[in-house]
Amino acid sequence: AQSVTQLDSHVSVSEGTPVLLRCNYSSSYSPSLFWYVQHPNKGLQLLLKYTSAATLVKGINGFEAEFKKSETSFHLTKPSAHMSDAAEYFCVVSEMIKAAGNKLTFGGGTRVLVKP
Amino acid sequence: DTGVSQNPRHKITKRGQNVTFRCDPISEHNRLYWYRQTLGQGPEFLTYFQNEAQLEKSRLLSDRFSAERPKGSFSTLEIQRTEQGDSAMYLCASSLGDPGLAAYNEQFFGPGTRLTVL
């Protein structure tokens, strides 16, 4: 079975400083990996996804993630945090299921606090 | 707004009562998913529909849970004889995507229905 582990349950950063959210995955084959963000009272939103086309993936709002097979990692970064980045972030592994559906397995989440 | 909608947004019920939630996916999406998210955890997969056919169910979906998508459009999730352990956020997601790239398909999530069982 595939799984993801988010290494930090909470991350606190100052506005304008870099953000690093760590994720390790477990998969017996080449994984499909996503990062989703969840703002309070809003639905989950896709930030970016790894599709094996490139190891460095750029997403929305200045976020990017690097796939490292040797480290089984897919860490999310942003060079400069903004107050609006305060939210919960989920690392997700996707596997194909019947009739070309896909089942998402979420990590435990990392809550990001941005200090002014 | 053409996103995924869910109703109600909040539901408070007493233990032993039945509840039903509704999800309206994005109109052209043929795939629909239900997830459950408990406090402090990531969402967990419950079940999956392609059109009106329920094709996969998690072991988390006990016999008190039933989901339907009668005409391949909206879906309902019913919980019978609710228990306090059912308290959670119930999320619905839909997708269209490319069958040849199924594992990469983005799922679009609704805002969820928060269930509190007293």
Side-chain angles (χ1 to χ4, degrees), chain B residues 95-115:
Chain B
S95 74
L96 182 57
D98 182 343
L101 298 170
Y104 305 137
N105 289 336
E106 177 180 358
Q107 294 183 17
F108 295 81
F109 284 81
T113 295
R114 182 169 296 283
L115 172 66

Side-chain angles (χ1 to χ4, degrees), chain A residues 7-114:
Chain A
L7 302 174
D8 307 290
S9 60
H10 293 81
V11 166
S12 181
V13 298
S14 297
E15 190 176 19
T17 64
V19 182
L20 169 64
L21 305 183
R22 299 182 294 166
C23 172
N24 286 107
Y25 69 88
S26 173
S27 175
S28 56
Y29 45 86
S30 184
S32 306
L33 295 162
F34 300 72
W35 277 96
Y36 274 84
V37 61
Q38 188 176 37
H39 287 95
N41 300 315
K42 291 190 176 180
L44 287 153
Q45 182 184 19
L46 180 68
L47 279 177
L48 49 80
K49 61 181 175 181
Y50 170 69
T51 61
S52 74
T55 56
L56 185 62
V57 183
K58 294 189 183 299
I60 61 171
N61 301 334
F63 284 94
E64 62 181 37
E66 186 172 10
F67 174 76
K68 291 187 176 180
K69 186 176 180 179
S70 60
E71 298 177 9
T72 61
S73 69
F74 190 56
H75 300 336
L76 181 71
T77 60
K78 183 172 180 177
S80 176
H82 190 272
M83 294 300 291
S84 61
D85 295 327
E88 186 139 26
Y89 293 78
F90 292 97
C91 184
V92 180
V93 63
S94 171
E95 62 178 296
M96 192 175 78
I97 53 179
K98 292 176 185 174
N102 60 321
K103 180 172 75 173
L104 304 183
T105 300
F106 287 76
T110 299
R111 185 166 296 278
V112 173
L113 172 67
V114 183

Side-chain angles (χ1 to χ4, degrees), chain A residues 97-98 103, chain B residues 32-35 44-50 52-68 76-78:
Chain A
I97 53 179
K98 292 176 185 174
K103 180 172 75 173
Chain B
L32 186 145
Y33 305 81
W34 285 97
Y35 293 81
E44 297 173 290
F45 171 82
L46 291 179
T47 191
Y48 155 59
F49 290 84
Q50 186 196 39
E52 68 277 6
Q54 187 176 20
L55 296 182
E56 185 132 344
K57 293 194 291 185
S58 163
R59 59 178 174 78
L60 293 174
L61 214 65
S62 76
D63 56 5
R64 295 185 299 106
F65 288 69
S66 62
E68 294 183 341
T76 57
L77 178 67
E78 181 183 14

